[in-house]
Amino acid sequence: MSAQGSAPSTGATSVAAVLAERRDAGTGALVGYLPVGFPDLATSIDAAVALVENGVDVLELGLPYSDPVMDGPVIQAATQQALANGFRLRHAFEAVRGVRERVDAPVLLMTYWNPVVQYGVERFADDLRDAGGAGVITPDLIPDEAGDWLAASERTGLDRVFLAAPSSSDARLARAVEVSRGFVYAVSTMGITGARSDVDRAARGLVDRLRAAGAENACVGLGISTAEQVREVLEYADGAIVGSALVAALAEGGVSAAGATAARLAEGTRPGSASAL
Amino acid sequence: MTDNISERLAHLEPLPGPYFGEYGGRFSPEPLVAALDELTAAWEEAKRDPAFRLELDDLHRSYTGRPSIITEVKRFAEHAGGARILLKREDLNHTGSHKINNVLGQALLTKRIGKSRVIAETGAGQHGVATATAAALFGLDCVIYMGEVDTERQALNVARMRLLGAEVVPVTAGSRTLKDAINEAMRDWVTNVGTTNYVFGTVAGPHPFPAMVRDLQRIIGDEARDQVLELVGRLPDAVAACVGGGSNAMGIFTAFLDDPEVRLFGFEAAGEGVDTPRHAATITKGRPGVLHGARSYLLQDEDGQTLESHSISAGLDYPGVGPEHAWLADIGRATYRPVTDAAAMSALRLLSRTEGIIPAIESSHALAGALELGRELGPEAVILVNLSGRGDKDMTTAGHYFDLLDRGAEQV
Ligand SMILES: Cc1ncc(COP(=O)(O)O)c(C=O)c1O
C-alpha cells in the first residue's frame, strides 16, 4: 500500500478514508477551497460549513499570505482583504476547530511555507492536530526542502499533500507519491489558480503518470469551476479541487452564494444525475 | 590586468549552491522545478563551454564596454578623512549599470535552451532596461514587471524599456514595488514556462539564480582586483557596495573572498532610519525566513508575513536579500551596515560636485558607506567602491529632493 493511503488516526475521518469511500461509491470527491478570514474569520467559518452542507467532501482552508505566487487575481484579492482585516496565523487553528465542531468533513490547511517556519514547524503541527485538522497542502514546499515537515507530520500523523505538475519528471512524481499522504495534488495545467474554460488535457496524462508511480489518491486542481469540469476530472481522478469559483461566489453573494455554488459543483460528483447547468 | 573574461569564468571557487550554509535552496512551486533544473543544467554546461565563454567575453568587450575602468576620487576622498577611494565604474557600462553583465549571460543562455521569450522583474528599472536591451539585441519577446510605485519614480526607464520594444506591466498588488513585481513575474513564468525564460536580476530567488547571477557578476571584482593591484600595488583594505538583492555586491566581493586582509562591507538601505518602520535594512533588522524561493534574511512580522520595505532608491527597496549574503554575514566574512536616505542623497550630491560623476541613488549608499569607512580606517586606507550605476534615471527624485527644478521645468 502506498504511503498516501495510511495515516495514524487523529480521531477525525481521514482524507484518505473519504476519498476511498467516494471512490467505492463509484463517484469521486469534491474538494473545496476557501481562505481563512475572508471576508472575516466568523464568515469564513460559516462559509466553509456551508460548503460541506452542500456537498463538499474535503475542505481546504487557505492561509492568507503576503506573497502568494501560485494564486490568481480572485484568491489574491480575497487573501489581501483578509490580511487587511487583521488575519493572524492563530486564526487558522480557530477556523479549523470552528468548522470541525459543526461538520465532519476533513480539513486541510493550504499554506505557503514561511508562515509555518516562523510559527515553528513542530508547534504548527501540534496546534493543527489539536484543532482537529487533517494535514497541510504546501504549494511552495517541494519534498527536497521538506525535511522538517516530513518529521513533524510523521510524529503527529498529519497528512502532507505535495504538488505534482505536468512538467515534473518521472523521478519527481515518484518522490511526490512516496512522501504525500492523503493525496497528491495534481496541478491540472501550467499556471496559477483561477477559473479556466477548459481544464487542460495535461491533467489526465499527469494522473495516469501518478498512478503508474503508485499513487492511490490523486486530486486535480487549478482552473476547475463548473460541474461539467468536476464530472470530467472525476472520470480519472479521485477528487476535483475547486477554489476561485467558490471564493468569487462568497465575495459576490456571501455564504448562501458559496453554498449554492458548492451544491451546483457537487452535481458533478453524481454521474448520471441530470444537471441543469 | 586581464581582460580575459572567459578564463575568469572558469574559476569558481565560491559555493555552487543551492545552499550557502543554512541559506538558499529552492522553495518554489513544483511546476517551476523542471525549469529550474533545466536552467541549472544549462548553466553548469555553458560556464564550462569555451564557445559560450568566448561569445560572452566578446559581447562584453564589444557591446557592454568592458573592462570598466577604475577612477580614483581625490576631491571626494577629502571628505573621508583622506583615505584613498577608488570607484569601479559600472555606471559606464552600456545601459548604465552592472545589471547588463548578468543579463547578457542569461540572454545567451535563453538562446541556448531554445526559448523565445524573456520576462524580468525590475525595481529601479536598470535590470528591466538591460533585459529589454538584450531582448532587442537577440530578437526575443520581452515583458518586464515593475511595481506601480517604481514606474512612477523611475519613469525615464519605463520609457527606455518601451522604446526598446519591451512590454512594461505595472504591478498593482501588495506594496507595488520590487517584491510584488517578482511575484507577478513568477506567476507569468509558471504559466508560460514552456516558451519563457525568467531573467532574474539579482542574487536572490531559488537555485540556480543566486549562484548563476553571482558567477555572471563576479567579473566586476575580477577586473577590479587586478586594477587596484596595478594602480596601488596592493589589495584594498575595504571593498564597499550597496545591497538590494545583492548582485553588484556579490559581483565585487567574490574576487576577494579568499583575501582575508580585505574587509567586505555591504550597505543596506536604512530609508528613514532603522528605528522607524520605513527602511529596507534586511540583514540589519530582519531574521531568517523563506521568500521568493530561498531561505535568507527577510523583513517580516511575527506571522511570517513579509513587511513592506522603504527606500528612496527603488533598486534597494526590497525586504529580502540574497542567501549568500546571509551566509557571509553569519560567518562574519562580510559586514552589513545601514545607510539612510539622507546620507545617500548627500553622498550623491557630494560626488557630483567634487568629481563630476552623478551616481545612481542605489550606488550612493555605498558612497556614503565609504565616507564613513574612510573616517574609521584612516588616511592610509584604500577603499574600493562599486559604483553600480549612473544617476540619470534618478533626476526626477534628486530634482525634487534638492529642489533643483524651476517651476516651469517641472511641468516638462
Ligand atoms: C544601479 C543599481 N545598483 C544596485 C542595485 C541593487 O541591486 P543589487 O543589490 O542586486 O546589485 C540596482 C537595482 O536596481 C541598481 O539599479
Side-chain angles (χ1 to χ4, degrees), chain B residues 277-299:
Chain B
R278 289 176 60 77
H279 63 78
T282 307
I283 294 179
T284 308
K285 298 291 281 191
R287 58 176 206 283
V290 172
L291 176 67
H292 292 150
R295 184 178 155 81
S296 186
Y297 280 83
L298 68 116
L299 299 175

Side-chain angles (χ1 to χ4, degrees), chain B residues 94-372:
Chain B
H94 179 46
T95 71
S97 81
H98 68 292
K99 297 289 184 185
I100 192 84
N101 302 332
N102 168 44
V103 163
L104 289 178
Q106 290 201 48
L108 286 180
L109 208 58
T110 304
K111 283 206 313 185
R112 202 177 165 95
I113 59 182
K115 291 184 175 175
S116 58
R117 179 175 177 265
V118 287
I119 56 171
E121 82 295 345
T122 197
Q126 289 302 107
H127 176 61
V129 166
T131 305
T133 297
L137 182 65
F138 293 120
L140 301 165
D141 293 331
C142 179
V143 177
I144 304 293
Y145 292 93
M146 188 170 189
E148 198 177 44
V149 169
D150 296 335
T151 60
E152 285 158 20
R153 61 179 156 173
Q154 310 277 225
L156 173 69
N157 274 346
V158 175
R160 290 170 81 196
M161 290 183 268
R162 289 187 173 142
L163 194 59
L164 288 160
E167 182 188 343
V168 179
V169 180
V171 176
T172 54
S175 58
R176 298 179 293 131
T177 57
L178 183 53
K179 153 182 108 65
D180 310 283
I182 294 174
N183 292 337
E184 209 50 43
M186 287 281 180
R187 292 185 188 110
D188 181 317
W189 203 26
V190 174
T191 309
N192 300 301
V193 67
T195 58
T196 299
N197 191 26
Y198 185 1
V199 177
F200 200 71
T202 190
V203 291
H207 182 68
F209 292 117
M212 177 171 68
V213 176
R214 175 208 59 211
D215 292 347
L216 289 166
Q217 289 290 3
R218 65 166 297 169
I219 186 153
I220 302 171
D222 287 338
E223 287 175 3
R225 191 174 182 282
D226 289 344
Q227 288 167 323
V228 174
L229 279 173
E230 189 176 271
L231 185 78
V232 185
R234 66 175 179 89
L235 290 172
D237 299 288
V239 176
C242 67
V243 179
S247 67
N248 86 89
M250 277 322 304
I252 199 161
F253 286 178
T254 299
F256 299 97
L257 285 177
D258 296 324
D259 299 318
E261 69 274 32
V262 180
R263 297 173 64 187
L264 307 175
F265 292 91
F267 292 97
E268 304 190 303
E272 294 174 10
V274 291
D275 298 323
T276 76
R278 289 176 60 77
H279 63 78
T282 307
I283 294 179
T284 308
K285 298 291 281 191
R287 58 176 206 283
V290 172
L291 176 67
H292 292 150
R295 184 178 155 81
S296 186
Y297 280 83
L298 68 116
L299 299 175
Q300 55 184 324
D301 72 10
E302 197 190 330
D303 280 358
Q305 308 287 353
T306 311
L307 293 173
E308 284 190 21
S309 55
H310 167 81
S311 167
I312 193 169
S313 84
L316 305 185
D317 198 348
Y318 180 55
V321 68
E324 194 166 5
H325 287 293
W327 176 65
L328 291 175
D330 278 10
I331 64 172
R333 178 62 190 97
T335 304
Y336 297 83
R337 294 182 177 179
V339 168
T340 60
D341 288 352
M345 292 308 286
S346 146
L348 181 148
R349 183 164 58 182
L350 184 64
L351 189 74
S352 302
R353 295 203 172 166
T354 55
E355 303 286 346
I357 298 170
I358 301 178
I361 301 178
E362 289 78 16
S363 323
S364 300
H365 288 71
L367 291 166
L371 292 173
E372 185 183 288

Side-chain angles (χ1 to χ4, degrees), chain A residues 34-53:
Chain A
L34 286 177
V36 176
F38 173 74
D40 56 65
L41 182 59
T43 310
S44 67
I45 294 171
D46 289 346
V49 168
L51 258 47
V52 176
E53 286 169 345

Side-chain angles (χ1 to χ4, degrees), chain A residues 64-72 76 80 83 87-90 113-115 117-119 139-145 163-165 167-168 172 187 190-192, chain B residues 19 24-34 37 173-174 179-180 183-184 186-187 190-191 193 287-292 295 298 300-306:
Chain A
Y65 175 56
S66 52
D67 297 275
V69 292
M70 273 296 281
D71 286 312
Q76 274 184 59
Q80 274 197 36
L83 287 170
F87 168 80
R88 295 297 312 267
L89 223 41
R90 63 185 141 78
W113 195 236
N114 193 47
V117 172
Q118 300 309 319
Y119 196 85
D140 64 347
L141 184 72
I142 56 177
D144 323 37
E145 303 286 355
L163 270 52
S167 60
S168 304
R172 294 195 63 80
V187 175
M190 296 304 288
I192 55 178
Chain B
Y19 302 105
R26 294 196 303 184
F27 293 84
S28 294
E30 177 66 24
L32 285 182
V33 171
D37 279 341
K179 153 182 108 65
D180 310 283
N183 292 337
E184 209 50 43
M186 287 281 180
R187 292 185 188 110
V190 174
T191 309
V193 67
R287 58 176 206 283
V290 172
L291 176 67
H292 292 150
R295 184 178 155 81
L298 68 116
Q300 55 184 324
D301 72 10
E302 197 190 330
D303 280 358
Q305 308 287 353
T306 311

